[in-house]
Amino acid sequence: MLPKHAEVYGVPPEEFEPAYWKVRDAYDRGQPDLDYWRAVGAELGVEVDEKTSAALTEADISGWLELDPGSLVLLDELAEAGVPLALLSNAPASFAAAVREQTWARRFRHLVFSGELGVAKPDAEIWAALLDQLGASAADCLFLDDRQVNIDGALRAGLDAELWAGATAIRPRLRELGLL
């Protein structure tokens, strides 16, 4: 995914990736697409126009929409078992709109995106917003994430939380909790 973006900027992927992540937090908190891609461009010394921003946004969204097949199977099993699923993602509003159009998103009762809330994981405010949308207490929630900093934030907010290492790795914990 990121090598395609680097090509648009005309820089090597190893130069692009640090710029992409350096300014990503503001994007995930609601910064407009054009402002984000221009901020990345400023890091790289490259100007970005609206057309280029639109192309980068589209490429970014399509890259992040790819899901591991094993994860989809697990989501299906949990949904069929009646487990109330919610998705909490640090992601821009443009990505949130695209997710809502995906067939796999229907497995979730709630879709919560940082770019729409203006706060992001691991901030305390996002957990309060999540629990409010869920109408649930923290003790009733299991949060899975691939970043330890987000797991730590969830634990501080009172949620049960596990580091995501893939569908196969989480199955024993889900069985232990009686969710599978």
Side-chain angles (χ1 to χ4, degrees), residues 43-60:
E43 291 290 321
L44 299 169
V46 177
E47 288 190 31
V48 175
D49 60 20
E50 290 182 21
K51 182 179 177 183
T52 303
S53 171
L56 287 162
T57 300
E58 185 177 323
D60 202 53

Side-chain angles (χ1 to χ4, degrees), residues 47-134:
E47 288 190 31
V48 175
D49 60 20
E50 290 182 21
K51 182 179 177 183
T52 303
S53 171
L56 287 162
T57 300
E58 185 177 323
D60 202 53
I61 289 170
S62 69
W64 287 111
L65 285 178
E66 294 178 24
L67 296 181
D68 170 64
S71 296
L72 285 174
V73 169
L74 180 59
L75 284 173
D76 284 338
E77 291 174 14
L78 290 167
E80 288 172 16
V83 176
L85 300 173
L87 172 69
L88 172 63
S89 180
N90 279 359
S94 54
F95 180 76
V99 167
R100 287 188 172 89
E101 300 298 319
Q102 302 303 304
T103 304
W104 56 260
R106 295 185 194 126
R107 293 165 176 86
F108 296 95
R109 293 184 187 178
H110 301 275
L111 299 167
V112 182
F113 296 93
S114 62
E116 295 174 337
L117 297 175
V119 295
K121 299 178 287 186
D123 298 351
E125 297 87 0
I126 201 157
W127 308 110
L130 172 68
L131 294 171
D132 183 56
Q133 286 194 30
L134 298 178

